[in-house]
Amino acid sequence: MKLIVTKDYEEMSKVAAKEISDFINSKPEAVLGLATGGTPKGLYEELIKLNKQEIVDFSNVTSINLDEYIGLSGEHEQSYRYFMDHNFFNYINIDKSKTFVPNGLADNIDLECIEYDKKIAELGGIDLQLLGIGSNGHIGFNEPAEYLYMGTHQTNLAKDTIEANSRFFKSIDEVPRKAITMGIGGIMKAKKIVLLASGENKAEVVKELVSGKITTEVPASMLQMHRDVVIVIDEAAAKFLSLHSGEYIKSSSGL
Ligand code: GLP
């Protein structure tokens, strides 16, 4: 696990953008697993700039997103398809037909999940998976639970998550209660993982992620078992890690 602590959100976004653009430059046809939420917005803005400056080229990249709310169409402003189009895809030279987000309006959600995993397999797996983290330890929408799932599946959102995500909706009643999410297995199969966290409200969970017990109650703790994880966090999110700013590389673990 490589841990990079940055001064603030802006620097976190720049460092993560460099990780990702360097990765694409070393593998122009990379399959990127992408994430939504407030945290990666700055990173997407940086990648848009790098693309405009011709420092990174998305023309051969394929993207596959982690999750989507069930019941929202891609035109709904809070759907993750809408988020990706309006915060990223519309501003870069990616081929939209090679961007995948689960269909939250599929008639048969279970079948949609099976097809999504087939799609990932057909693409040869995910090369680099980008993640945020919920303050309850969720990744994608894999919520704390007694057990976790390998593959893409439908899930009920945790109360904490509904509350946290209600800031994006007019009222809490509008927040969907269910979502489609890639499973922990799908995430762990990615060859490389880049996780971002920013702000004091993530400090507790970041400590669990980096040095806590590996438990399904903190789904992100599973990442301790991955061979190639880069965690980019700002100082506020590193508050409980007794570190200083600048680049800090934690001794590499993983299987
Ligand atoms: C959401 C998403 C996650 C995201 C997390 C944190 O519910 N499903 O992929 O990482 O919550 O979001 P934020 O970055 O807004 O704190």
Side-chain angles (χ1 to χ4, degrees), residues 35-40 66-67 80 132-134 138 140-141 161 165 167-168 202:
T36 55
T39 312
L66 273 174
D67 47 12
Y80 287 167
I133 184 169
H138 76 221
F141 272 130
T161 304
N165 290 4
R167 71 190 194 278
F168 298 116
K202 298 287 171 74

Side-chain angles (χ1 to χ4, degrees), residues 93-188:
N93 68 335
I94 199 165
D95 173 355
K96 275 269 188 86
S97 69
K98 293 199 297 187
T99 67
F100 301 96
V101 181
N103 176 8
L105 285 187
D107 290 335
N108 184 336
I109 297 288
D110 291 336
L111 189 61
E112 173 69 13
C113 295
I114 293 168
E115 296 293 334
Y116 207 67
D117 283 339
K118 267 198 206 153
K119 172 57 69 188
I120 297 172
E122 266 168 39
L123 293 170
I126 294 170
D127 293 305
L128 183 150
Q129 177 67 55
L130 173 68
L131 294 175
I133 184 169
S135 43
N136 67 356
H138 76 221
I139 45 177
F141 272 130
N142 293 276
E143 299 282 21
E146 207 179 318
Y147 49 83
L148 300 171
Y149 290 84
M150 271 299 284
T152 301
H153 59 283
Q154 60 172 307
T155 185
N156 294 316
L157 303 194
K159 198 168 159 276
D160 310 352
T161 304
I162 294 168
E163 276 163 18
N165 290 4
S166 68
R167 71 190 194 278
F168 298 116
F169 291 81
K170 282 194 205 93
S171 82
I172 195 162
D173 299 332
E174 286 184 20
V175 185
R177 271 30 183 183
K178 286 177 186 286
I180 297 173
T181 182
M182 267 168 53
I184 285 289
I187 294 171
M188 290 291 283

